[in-house]
Amino acid sequence: MKKVLFLIPNLMHGGAEKVLVNLVNNLDKSKFDVTVGTLFDCGENKADLLPDVHYYSVYKKQFRGNSHYFKLFSRRMLYKKFVKGNYDIAVSYLEGVTARAVSGCNDESINKVSWIHIEQKDKKTLAQSFRSYKECADAYNSFDLNVCVSYAVKEDFTSLIKLDTRCAVLYNTIENEKIKKLSKEPIEFIYDKEKINLTVVGKLAENKGCMRILKSLKRLKNSGVDVYTVTFLGIGSIENKMKKYVSDNDLSENVRLLGYKTNPYKYVSRSDALLCASYAEGFSTSATEAVIVGTPVLTVNVSGMAELIGESGCGVIVDNTDEKLYDMLKYYSDKKELLVSMRDNALNRAKIFSLEKTVKEVEDMLESL
């Protein structure tokens, strides 16, 4: 049996945190003794860890300036500080500080893996948790394997750093049947069938494009197009900014801010489409989950969407600009029937992201090290 550590900053409400819990819960425990280590003991997803997954945290609470503080320590010192116990495989499940820490392991009997979840776009972003780009390049080249969640993420990652080690693509682990079951639970309101009901799932943050969704709604309304209701499921740093914009621009009948929901699927399954306006993604968990419950995806072009949607007809991808986002919403404002026609395509597309397939691919990877 191989002892495997997955190290991640926290288990809060992000997509990477959720899919990590999905993965570790479903790994074959007769083959793998699994531990999740977090830097900070916080997050809603922690409660979903099964009893047969070991867990520890380094700090009880997240503290301000931690990214700068951790740079005071060498990579080797961070490994000693963050890694509790002995393992055959140490995995940094998120780019950044945990990658820097795991790369500090100089025990050649321990296999090291890094997981890259999002496009970095430039060398400065890639190296922001490191002391320098050189240290960053040295760190990622010290891993036995770098895993990317989509081919687009891999293309981006390998364009920014010359790798002497292997780089593979493994899709996120999604619990299909659980999601389908939860999607049937009742919700606290009824969607207006005369409207086009869109749902946005994720952090309320600038990089998720929340404000440009609101600005598109205002622009449509000012032009006489008042057919959309957009439900946001999430919390984040710009929540108050969004509430003010909704209030100031008479959008209260068009926008719902419901906060973080442990079961977003029941809202998504009843929506006409999932909307993604992010400036960057890795392989969107919320979009994959939407497809699983038969909800089409309207999205700007971010990493992973071409792989998810492809030629399946389960969604629409437009260029990642404010204008193209607006044009897409304007186009579908009087074509709700086209969204309805995509639902069967979504259910068919979901078959390529089965729980069994994605878990087996990770197990094969771990056993091959």
Side-chain angles (χ1 to χ4, degrees):
M1 181 182 291
K2 289 190 174 184
K3 296 186 68 176
V4 185
L5 169 69
F6 291 88
L7 190 65
I8 193 168
N10 58 60
L11 288 176
M12 294 182 72
H13 47 273
E17 293 80 359
K18 181 190 293 186
V19 296
L20 173 59
V21 172
N22 292 343
L23 173 60
V24 298
N25 281 347
N26 287 283
L27 286 173
D28 186 343
K29 303 308 188 299
S30 70
K31 296 179 180 178
F32 305 102
D33 183 337
V34 180
T35 298
V36 172
T38 62
L39 305 190
F40 306 106
D41 189 22
C42 56
E44 297 82 354
N45 286 297
K46 176 185 169 183
D48 293 328
L49 287 172
L50 294 181
D52 60 4
V53 177
H54 310 298
Y55 173 82
Y56 74 82
S57 63
V58 182
Y59 300 97
K60 280 296 177 186
K61 295 181 179 179
Q62 195 159 331
F63 54 89
R64 294 182 65 180
N66 63 76
S67 60
H68 298 291
Y69 172 71
F70 292 142
K71 288 182 186 179
L72 299 175
F73 299 90
S74 69
R75 289 187 284 153
R76 178 61 178 157
M77 290 176 69
L78 284 183
Y79 182 81
K80 290 182 176 180
K81 191 175 186 66
F82 293 167
V83 176
K84 311 296 184 183
N86 299 309
Y87 304 94
D88 300 302
I89 304 170
V91 180
S92 164
Y93 200 72
L94 205 62
E95 55 277 350
V97 65
T98 56
R100 185 169 182 260
V102 173
S103 73
C105 173
N106 58 10
D107 185 340
E108 293 185 359
S109 69
I110 300 174
N111 290 116
K112 298 178 293 183
V113 179
S114 82
W115 231 277
I116 312 296
H117 285 267
I118 195 167
E119 289 179 311
Q120 304 299 303
K121 301 294 189 182
D122 54 61
K123 291 180 178 180
K124 181 179 179 181
T125 303
L126 179 66
Q128 63 185 352
S129 295
F130 295 83
R131 289 176 173 176
S132 66
Y133 173 76
K134 182 181 183 305
E135 185 192 54
C136 172
D138 290 344
Y140 282 114
N141 272 294
S142 75
F143 287 100
D144 297 282
L145 180 67
N146 290 283
V147 175
C148 298
V149 299
S150 73
Y151 286 96
V153 168
K154 179 182 177 182
E155 183 178 350
D156 171 77
F157 182 60
T158 55
S159 73
L160 298 175
I161 191 166
K162 187 179 186 308
L163 288 177
D164 299 322
T165 56
R166 286 194 298 150
C167 189
V169 173
L170 293 172
Y171 289 132
N172 288 332
T173 299
I174 309 293
E175 294 187 309
N176 304 51
E177 295 307 313
K178 179 180 178 181
I179 288 170
K180 290 177 184 177
K181 181 179 179 181
L182 289 171
S183 72
K184 294 178 173 60
E185 290 186 353
I187 62 175
E188 65 273 27
F189 56 86
I190 298 175
Y191 283 110
D192 185 348
K193 293 183 179 180
E194 300 301 315
K195 296 275 191 176
I196 297 177
N197 299 286
L198 307 179
T199 300
V200 180
V201 181
K203 295 175 184 176
L204 304 184
E206 295 290 356
N207 70 318
K208 294 296 183 180
C210 301
M211 289 305 302
R212 61 175 173 175
I213 293 173
L214 297 183
K215 290 174 182 177
S216 289
L217 291 178
K218 177 190 175 185
R219 187 176 167 190
L220 285 166
K221 197 167 184 176
N222 288 347
S223 69
V225 178
D226 189 13
V227 298
Y228 285 107
T229 299
V230 181
T231 300
F232 289 85
L233 304 178
I235 57 176
S237 58
I238 65 168
E239 184 172 354
N240 289 335
K241 180 180 178 180
M242 291 174 66
K243 287 179 177 178
K244 185 176 188 305
Y245 190 92
V246 168
S247 176
D248 290 349
N249 292 281
D250 192 29
L251 292 174
S252 58
E253 296 298 316
N254 305 90
V255 176
R256 294 188 188 95
L257 293 164
L258 297 187
Y260 175 77
K261 297 293 183 181
T262 56
N263 180 6
Y265 323 115
K266 60 184 181 180
Y267 302 94
V268 175
S269 66
R270 291 170 170 84
S271 303
D272 295 300
L274 181 94
L275 179 61
C276 174
S278 298
Y279 292 98
E281 288 283 347
F283 198 102
S284 172
T285 302
S286 59
T288 309
E289 292 168 343
V291 170
I292 286 169
V293 299
T295 300
V297 177
L298 298 181
T299 181
V300 293
N301 192 8
V302 288
S303 171
M305 290 302 187
E307 291 166 59
L308 173 63
I309 295 172
E311 302 297 321
S312 68
C314 71
V316 175
I317 306 172
V318 298
D319 290 344
N320 198 339
T321 66
D322 295 358
E323 194 64 26
K324 290 299 183 182
L325 173 66
Y326 169 80
D327 288 344
M328 176 173 64
L329 293 176
K330 184 177 181 181
Y331 178 81
Y332 283 98
S333 64
D334 61 353
K335 296 177 178 63
K336 185 173 180 176
E337 71 281 359
L338 293 182
L339 299 176
V340 174
S341 71
M342 295 180 191
R343 298 188 77 88
D344 286 341
N345 295 334
L347 290 172
N348 287 328
R349 187 61 171 171
K351 295 174 183 176
I352 70 170
F353 300 104
S354 73
L355 173 67
E356 294 77 16
K357 183 176 184 291
T358 54
V359 171
K360 178 67 165 54
E361 288 173 348
V362 174
E363 290 178 343
D364 289 345
M365 177 273 289
L366 295 173
E367 289 185 311
S368 73
L369 293 172

